[in-house]
Amino acid sequence: MRKTVTIVLSFLLIATFLAGASLAGDTLADVKAKGVLVAGVKDSLPPFGYVDAKTRTIVGYDIDFVKAIANKLGVKVELKPVTSATRMPQLQEGNIDIIAATMTKNPERAKVIDFSHTYFLTGQKFLTKTGTVKSLKDLEGKKIGTTKGSTSEQNAKKAIPSATILSFDDYPQGVLALTQGKVVAVTTDESILAGLLAKLPKGAYEIPDIRISDEPYGLGIRKGDTNFLNFVNQTILEMEKSGEAAKIFDRWFGPDSDTPLKRNFTITADK
Ligand code: GLU
């Protein structure tokens, strides 16, 4: 009798464990089985994720990382546009397998999802009409545009409490407000502003040297999805070692690009 009870109890224990494991999910196994990696990406933010005029496909720095991960898995890529506000819910609801969308890692977000090692590093600045803003003081009491659900929105509120922050669905809408004189600045990561500036009339706008935060980007993965997180981290560390990561940076931010920036980071394991 005691033996039967022990067997039943062991069975129950194993069943409970398996149920728990499947709840946490194993994206690595799922993606291999379905043969496609579904990535949530930006589609209007050159050079991270935008629609190429010739090929009409989404290309960019974030896309190249997703492609490298899919390549290593031997699966296809499906790109799904997300916004700053929708990217985490999309991941949690299972509509995408990974976020590669200019997303800053921070402790608040890390309570909800897991992040890869940092694969890009930038900081928050402002895009303004040339000569109008020299310091944060010039922004006090003014209207500033940014995007809903971004760290840019939170940082701006903290850095300039007297300003009115207008949050749009995406950054190009903020730039439209800037060109129409509805805001005096658009604020977000310097690397994103560089892409927005490149599309504006030369000399009319600038990014003054006012930096209010550090923004390390991570690839977003469902909480507790350890196998997939390890795979992604291993892949991007290998890309750093082989020089592929630096090559991707150079493709989008090199001296011949529209958005020349210095590579002020290397991909290393988080401490
Ligand atoms: N990197 C910042 C963030 O994750 C701003 C860019 C964005 O909105 O995606 O919130």
Side-chain angles (χ1 to χ4, degrees):
M1 178 66 187
R2 183 172 287 174
K3 209 170 170 191
T4 319
V5 170
T6 314
I7 291 169
V8 169
L9 277 180
S10 316
F11 180 76
L12 277 176
L13 248 165
I14 292 168
T16 314
F17 173 78
L18 287 177
S22 73
L23 268 185
D26 187 353
T27 301
L28 188 64
D30 292 348
V31 165
K32 275 187 195 160
K34 64 183 174 166
V36 59
L37 174 67
V38 185
V41 300
K42 296 287 180 84
D43 68 350
S44 58
L45 280 194
F48 287 98
Y50 67 99
V51 179
D52 180 76
K54 272 191 217 137
T55 61
R56 297 188 170 242
T57 55
I58 305 174
V59 298
Y61 182 91
D62 280 339
I63 316 308
D64 284 353
F65 272 80
V66 170
K67 282 186 179 163
I69 293 162
N71 250 345
K72 197 165 174 223
L73 273 167
V75 299
K76 287 194 217 129
V77 174
E78 186 185 329
L79 303 172
K80 277 199 185 165
V82 292
T83 67
S84 302
T86 64
R87 58 195 163 190
M88 284 211 287
Q90 290 282 326
L91 180 70
Q92 285 177 293
E93 285 162 23
N95 298 331
I96 54 177
D97 300 312
I98 189 167
I99 299 171
T102 66
M103 189 165 191
T104 297
K105 306 153 64 156
N106 65 22
E108 199 188 328
R109 289 173 174 171
K111 282 184 200 150
V112 186
I113 63 172
D114 284 339
F115 284 106
S116 72
H117 304 320
T118 300
Y119 74 102
F120 191 87
L121 179 65
T122 182
Q124 185 169 341
K125 289 193 172 182
F126 300 85
L127 173 66
T128 62
K129 279 207 168 114
T130 303
T132 57
V133 174
K134 301 260 182 290
S135 71
L136 276 185
K137 264 204 157 346
D138 297 325
L139 292 166
E140 280 174 14
K142 299 280 167 55
K143 284 188 181 145
I144 301 171
T146 188
T147 289
K148 274 179 214 150
S150 64
T151 51
S152 318
E153 185 183 35
Q154 296 170 8
N155 297 335
K157 283 181 185 163
K158 261 186 236 146
I160 324 148
S162 65
T164 303
I165 309 299
L166 301 181
S167 296
F168 299 92
D169 283 331
D170 62 31
Y171 296 100
Q173 288 177 30
V175 174
L176 187 64
L178 177 66
T179 59
Q180 293 172 338
K182 292 180 182 158
V183 297
V184 300
V186 173
T187 187
T188 186
D189 306 335
E190 179 182 14
S191 49
I192 293 176
L193 294 178
L196 298 169
L197 177 67
K199 286 190 167 174
L200 290 167
K202 255 208 154 55
Y205 295 86
E206 65 178 355
I207 302 168
D209 195 14
I210 310 166
R211 182 177 160 119
I212 59 168
S213 69
D214 285 335
E215 305 291 324
Y217 292 0
L219 299 162
I221 282 141
R222 272 181 285 277
K223 194 97 200 132
D225 202 349
T226 320
N227 283 345
F228 191 43
L229 180 65
N230 290 341
F231 180 84
V232 167
N233 275 335
Q234 191 194 327
T235 306
I236 64 174
L237 286 174
E238 278 169 19
M239 288 167 72
E240 180 65 42
K241 219 170 157 197
S242 71
E244 191 183 349
K247 219 161 129 191
I248 293 173
F249 184 93
D250 205 51
R251 184 173 306 141
W252 301 106
F253 297 99
D256 298 330
S257 71
D258 282 346
T259 48
L261 286 178
K262 271 224 168 83
R263 191 169 192 250
N264 57 357
F265 66 93
T266 52
I267 300 171
T268 53
D270 283 349
K271 277 151 223 144

